[in-house]
Amino acid sequence: MRLYAIAAGLAAVTWMLPARALPELPFDTTNQSPLIQIYGLPGLGAPYVLAPGQSRVDFHFEAANHFVGKSTATESLFLDGETHRTTLKIYRGFSGGREIGIEIPYVGHGGGFMDSFIEGWHDFFGLPQYGRDRMPTDQLLYQYQRNGVDSIYFARTTAGMGDVRLVVGLPFTARAETAVRFSLKLPTGDSQKLLGSGATDAALWFSTRCARCTGALSWYGGSGILWMGESDVLRNQQRQVVAFGSLGLHWQALSRLTLGVQLDGHTPFYRDSALASLADSSAQLVLGGIWRPSQRYAWELAITEDIAVDTAPDVVVRIGLRSWF
């Protein structure tokens, strides 16, 4: 009984601690399409850098469900499966306003588990299935044909380390509302298994937040440029430069609960194609919440939907834990 009483007391103390010592972070989401997640497209990141000696560790899991079946006279693309991505991110603040981090992903492609739920969701709300309900559930097949020849044919469940990313952040001004970051993505993942691109990518971007928002609502955003090396995947169609950006709104619903809506977008990653999944700009809507039981921990739950159809996964479910120390 004493142990239960002590545990209850600690929980009560944790609950009473102020929960918003730092601005809430944006949802650290990116496009998890199997043909895009191989590149070094970064999430927006915090609008501030960590103080010298301060560290943050993030642990996130994302399940992205794909279904695309489109063709033209010369091309056909079929994506049916799920990408699961588990990422460990470690950041630390240093003197001079520098922040250095490393992001280590573990990526898997398979049939997944969300097909039946998504089909039921579409039926319940009267949404179109686009042929999803006529295909076997929880299967894996990624196939892209050009002029009758397979450029991609992937039908075997696989998992392994993805491409590791190194990140450096600096404050843009003396105030804490804007930060600039540079990342370098290394080719540590197997490109033949769509765990990486087989090339080194670099990105430069900024993130900012409302400096004068003192009420329950606060906006944030940012944008940047991604430079990509020559990928092993669709090399002849790959673009070298992509622009990206995010814009979001946070609402402090409760003292420890923040709800948010965020729009992510980027320009096309591929050219010489009439298919939206390859040659159109992408737009994703993110809805979610961040719960802080204390100053040191934050739980995150978010769902992403492709509002520019076929340019990103149908649905992405994301859950994460962030800790400061």
Side-chain angles (χ1 to χ4, degrees):
M1 291 297 293
R2 288 185 178 179
L3 290 177
Y4 291 125
I6 293 172
L10 290 174
V13 170
T14 297
W15 181 260
M16 290 185 292
L17 286 173
R20 204 178 184 186
L22 295 172
E24 297 295 2
L25 303 186
F27 297 114
D28 200 15
T29 50
T30 61
N31 192 337
Q32 293 300 310
S33 165
L35 303 182
I36 292 177
Q37 59 85 30
I38 57 177
Y39 299 105
L41 183 66
L44 185 58
Y48 56 86
V49 296
L50 295 171
Q54 186 181 35
S55 299
R56 193 179 90 237
V57 176
D58 296 357
F59 188 77
H60 292 104
F61 170 77
E62 295 166 289
N65 187 274
H66 320 289
F67 187 82
V68 175
K70 295 294 173 64
S71 62
T72 68
T74 59
E75 296 175 280
S76 67
L77 177 67
F78 186 77
L79 302 177
D80 188 5
E82 278 185 24
T83 299
H84 295 170
R85 188 181 188 94
T86 304
T87 309
L88 174 65
K89 303 180 180 183
I90 304 171
Y91 309 95
R92 186 166 179 84
F94 293 87
S95 60
R98 295 169 299 160
E99 178 187 276
I100 297 176
I102 183 171
E103 303 177 0
I104 306 171
Y106 186 85
V107 182
H109 299 287
F113 58 86
M114 293 196 291
D115 280 355
S116 297
F117 170 77
I118 294 173
E119 290 174 18
W121 180 274
H122 286 186
D123 284 340
F124 183 80
F125 288 99
L127 302 174
Q129 298 283 2
Y130 297 111
R132 175 190 283 273
D133 54 342
R134 297 193 297 270
M135 302 301 298
T137 59
D138 303 332
Q139 76 163 347
L140 171 64
L141 178 59
Y142 303 152
Q143 184 178 26
Y144 174 61
Q145 286 188 339
R146 191 174 180 90
N147 297 318
V149 178
D150 282 336
S151 297
I152 294 175
Y153 186 87
F154 191 90
R156 184 177 179 181
T157 299
T158 188
M161 178 180 285
D163 284 351
V164 171
R165 182 158 43 206
L166 306 176
V167 185
V168 177
L170 296 170
F172 184 71
T173 64
R175 304 183 68 179
E177 287 83 13
T178 304
V180 177
R181 286 181 171 84
F182 173 81
S183 70
L184 191 67
K185 190 218 69 170
L186 307 176
T188 55
D190 189 338
S191 60
Q192 294 184 351
K193 298 179 180 179
L194 294 180
L195 304 179
S197 69
T200 300
D201 301 341
L204 178 67
W205 73 101
F206 77 93
S207 58
T208 189
R209 67 182 293 268
C210 178
R212 299 181 180 179
C213 295
T214 57
L217 292 176
S218 177
W219 63 264
Y220 60 89
S223 62
I225 298 292
L226 170 66
W227 296 272
M228 298 173 289
E230 291 190 352
S231 168
D232 294 336
V233 180
L234 302 180
R235 176 177 295 186
N236 294 331
Q237 294 176 247
Q238 174 212 344
R239 295 179 184 270
Q240 304 303 131
V241 180
V242 165
F244 60 91
S246 296
L247 182 65
L249 183 69
H250 276 152
W251 174 45
Q252 191 75 24
L254 298 171
S255 62
R256 291 166 184 78
L257 177 64
T258 302
L259 302 180
V261 56
Q262 180 173 308
L263 182 66
D264 296 338
H266 61 74
T267 58
F269 274 72
Y270 299 97
R271 58 178 180 268
D272 300 331
S273 174
L275 301 174
S277 300
L278 299 179
D280 284 7
S281 296
S282 175
Q284 299 182 102
L285 183 67
V286 187
L287 299 172
I290 301 167
W291 177 59
R292 273 201 179 180
S294 75
Q295 293 183 12
R296 294 184 57 188
Y297 300 98
W299 288 96
E300 175 188 310
L301 177 64
I303 296 178
T304 302
E305 179 82 15
D306 61 331
I307 56 175
V309 178
D310 292 343
T311 65
D314 281 359
V315 176
V316 182
V317 177
R318 173 185 174 88
I319 185 170
L321 173 64
R322 290 168 169 166
S323 60
W324 291 260
F325 57 92

